[in-house]
Amino acid sequence: MRSREIISAFDVGWDVTKGIIFGGRDYDDIDEVNDLITQIIEDGDRKRPELPWKKGSGTPAGARRGTPWTAMHRAKQKGKDPNVPFHSLRGFTDSSEMLPTVLNWEGGKTQIQPQMRAITQSLGRDTIPAELFGGSGSFILGQNTGKGLYSDINPDLVTVMRHLKAGMTVPHIPQNQDELEEMVSELNDLRHRRDVRGEDLDFDEERRLAQTFVGANIQHRNGMFNFGDWNEEPTEYTEGFIKRPSFRGTKHPVGHKNHRYFPSDVGSVDLRPYASRLKDVDIHEGDFRESAKHLTRHHNLYLDPAYISRDIDYGGTSQQQEGKEFDQMQRDVIRVGREHEGPSIISNYMYDKNTRKPLYGYIDALMEAGYDIHPWLRKPKANNQVQAELLALRGFPKQLKLTQDYSTKGRR
């Protein structure tokens, strides 16, 4: 076997190790590392190994960005344009920086986008980001290449992305619970006309739907919506009606160290700068299995399906209830990733929430499809307990792991 000094990126370019990589070591199966992961989960203070990609490996990976509501509020208080701090984010003019999402949505991997960018940079070629469970578009906006493929089964999310690409503003953000409920009621009326009555909304009506969806979403306490049945037979795919929302705000007075400013403190937001960054992004609506037909070998595919064993309300349809166990939908996700000619990433949970045991069937299926599995131990915002998620990589150079070995151990 050749030494590390003479292993080139070409030599290992498309090798797949088909293993579990954790803490700088390779493991053949989950049982070999299960005890270590379990100990870290049970002891939240234990040091958690980082994923083996530096945030700026080789070239700048950028930093995770959020919308600067505090700076925007302060500008507004001084009589200045509150959008200036927002539009000054480097990501709008510099692709080496990331862009924030405009929606709060379940499953968006905004937290890990710097590492995602570092993974992509390891390919050493110009790739096009693609996400078939598009959600808030965190992967497209995090990669910020100016191009991409976005798809989602939820027509509301797709409408938002299309109008974001066309250039839109949100002229009013709800100021209180009553205004938030009024906005959601208007939003439901538009969605009912489209999904239940089968009407074709014109451009202005779709634009209003996108504006109310964003305005209500960013001021909703949970950042997303719960859905109910229309109690009518829909004519189009629908998530159902949006249930009563909850206005979010701070309990701490201005000047308190824990005081936070929210979108309602700014009142409106101009999202038009996104248009130039999305102009070459293809946007599709529909099931991921159909949208996969648009993929080419140049796409860097990110698949972020429903979380296994987690009861998250993605929507009211039967399709949105799929994937909560290792079912055919999850198998099709793995199949789409395996059949993709370019690199692909799959994210999901690694342990069953109820039994706290590894998802053996799912993990084995990923490895049999040629994926390397990288456990990701993190503490979600709403949960103090460490959670074991995973990133599964296929079609990426083995050099990813070797580079980390070089940095920690030196060449041998």
Side-chain angles (χ1 to χ4, degrees):
M1 181 176 178
R2 290 173 298 172
S3 66
R4 292 178 186 263
E5 285 88 349
I6 59 175
I7 294 179
S8 68
F10 177 82
D11 291 325
V12 298
W14 299 104
D15 286 348
V16 179
T17 61
K18 303 179 189 176
I20 297 174
I21 302 173
F22 184 64
R25 292 185 56 190
D26 293 356
Y27 299 86
D28 291 333
D29 59 58
I30 182 60
D31 281 334
E32 291 187 359
V33 72
N34 179 50
D35 287 345
L36 178 57
I37 292 177
T38 300
Q39 289 174 8
I40 296 174
I41 292 175
E42 293 176 350
D43 182 4
D45 295 329
R46 180 184 292 269
K47 182 175 176 59
R48 302 189 299 274
E50 296 182 359
L51 289 168
W53 309 292
K54 301 296 183 182
K55 294 184 179 180
S57 299
T59 56
R64 182 166 64 96
R65 301 294 182 192
T67 306
W69 299 114
T70 298
M72 295 169 71
H73 169 76
R74 289 171 178 167
K76 180 181 178 181
Q77 292 296 101
K78 295 178 181 179
K80 299 180 180 179
D81 183 354
N83 286 289
V84 170
F86 181 41
H87 296 170
S88 298
L89 292 177
R90 286 181 56 192
F92 288 119
T93 57
D94 183 355
S95 61
S96 70
E97 287 288 338
M98 300 164 52
L99 284 172
T101 58
V102 301
L103 293 173
N104 299 317
W105 208 250
E106 291 285 357
K109 288 294 187 295
T110 54
Q111 179 179 343
I112 203 172
Q113 282 311 308
Q115 287 85 350
M116 290 282 208
R117 287 172 62 98
I119 294 171
T120 300
Q121 290 163 2
S122 73
L123 295 171
R125 60 189 178 95
D126 191 21
T127 57
I128 303 171
E131 49 184 338
L132 303 187
F133 296 87
S136 65
S138 61
F139 189 60
I140 296 290
L141 296 172
Q143 296 293 308
N144 196 18
T145 64
K147 52 190 176 182
L149 170 64
Y150 173 96
S151 175
D152 202 283
I153 197 171
N154 186 327
D156 302 316
L157 298 177
V158 174
T159 297
V160 168
M161 290 298 293
R162 285 175 174 161
H163 282 266
L164 200 61
K165 177 179 177 178
M168 64 176 280
T169 64
V170 177
H172 182 70
I173 297 171
Q175 299 295 295
N176 50 52
Q177 178 68 30
D178 288 342
E179 287 192 2
L180 179 59
E181 292 186 25
E182 290 174 4
M183 183 169 284
V184 171
S185 177
E186 180 184 1
L187 178 58
N188 274 330
D189 285 343
L190 289 167
R191 297 172 65 252
H192 182 270
R193 288 174 52 196
R194 180 195 64 191
D195 300 343
V196 179
R197 292 165 56 181
E199 296 183 19
D200 291 326
L201 302 182
D202 61 28
F203 180 88
D204 290 338
E205 291 169 327
E206 281 199 345
R207 170 59 57 87
R208 183 58 187 162
L209 190 154
Q211 290 172 330
T212 55
F213 194 94
V214 174
N217 174 274
I218 59 180
Q219 197 52 47
H220 192 295
R221 183 175 300 281
N222 296 322
M224 63 174 296
F225 305 107
N226 294 316
F227 301 88
D229 196 330
W230 288 114
N231 294 320
E232 298 177 68
E233 189 66 28
T235 58
E236 302 290 341
Y237 179 92
T238 182
E239 303 302 340
F241 76 90
I242 299 170
K243 295 181 179 179
R244 183 177 183 271
S246 178
F247 186 83
R248 65 170 178 160
T250 181
K251 298 179 180 179
H252 304 286
V254 175
H256 190 279
K257 64 178 182 179
N258 293 323
H259 179 84
R260 287 181 58 195
Y261 288 103
F262 291 92
S264 58
D265 295 307
V266 178
S268 64
V269 60
D270 183 355
L271 302 175
R272 286 177 293 181
Y274 281 95
S276 63
R277 302 307 305 155
L278 296 174
K279 65 178 181 179
D280 292 322
V281 173
D282 295 324
I283 300 173
H284 299 275
E285 179 184 331
D287 185 90
F288 72 96
R289 286 159 282 221
E290 287 297 312
S291 298
K293 296 176 182 178
H294 299 285
L295 293 169
T296 72
R297 62 185 179 87
H298 300 293
H299 284 108
N300 179 19
L301 174 61
Y302 176 44
L303 295 162
D304 185 28
Y307 289 154
I308 298 176
S309 86
R310 266 63 179 178
D311 189 22
I312 296 174
D313 190 0
Y314 294 98
T317 62
S318 60
Q319 291 97 321
Q320 291 284 30
Q321 303 308 312
E322 296 176 351
K324 294 185 178 180
E325 57 185 41
F326 185 37
D327 56 11
Q328 187 58 50
M329 180 268 211
Q330 295 286 359
R331 290 183 172 87
D332 285 343
V333 170
I334 296 175
R335 174 185 58 79
V336 167
R338 185 188 69 240
E339 295 176 353
H340 177 47
E341 295 180 354
S344 64
I345 306 169
I346 296 178
S347 62
N348 214 307
Y349 273 86
M350 198 168 184
Y351 283 65
D352 186 284
K353 179 182 179 181
N354 299 314
T355 67
R356 298 188 180 182
K357 294 181 179 180
L359 297 166
Y360 285 107
Y362 180 62
I363 292 169
D364 289 344
L366 284 170
M367 294 174 67
E368 289 171 6
Y371 280 91
D372 284 340
I373 295 176
H374 298 266
W376 176 32
L377 304 184
R378 71 180 186 113
K379 287 186 177 181
K381 291 180 181 178
N383 194 332
N384 289 326
Q385 185 178 12
V386 174
Q387 303 292 311
E389 300 187 30
L390 64 81
L391 288 182
L393 273 62
R394 188 180 192 279
F396 283 81
K398 202 173 185 180
Q399 188 71 21
L400 279 172
K401 181 171 66 68
L402 295 179
T403 300
Q404 180 70 3
D405 286 347
Y406 291 162
S407 64
T408 59
K409 301 177 184 178
R411 298 191 178 212
R412 297 179 182 174

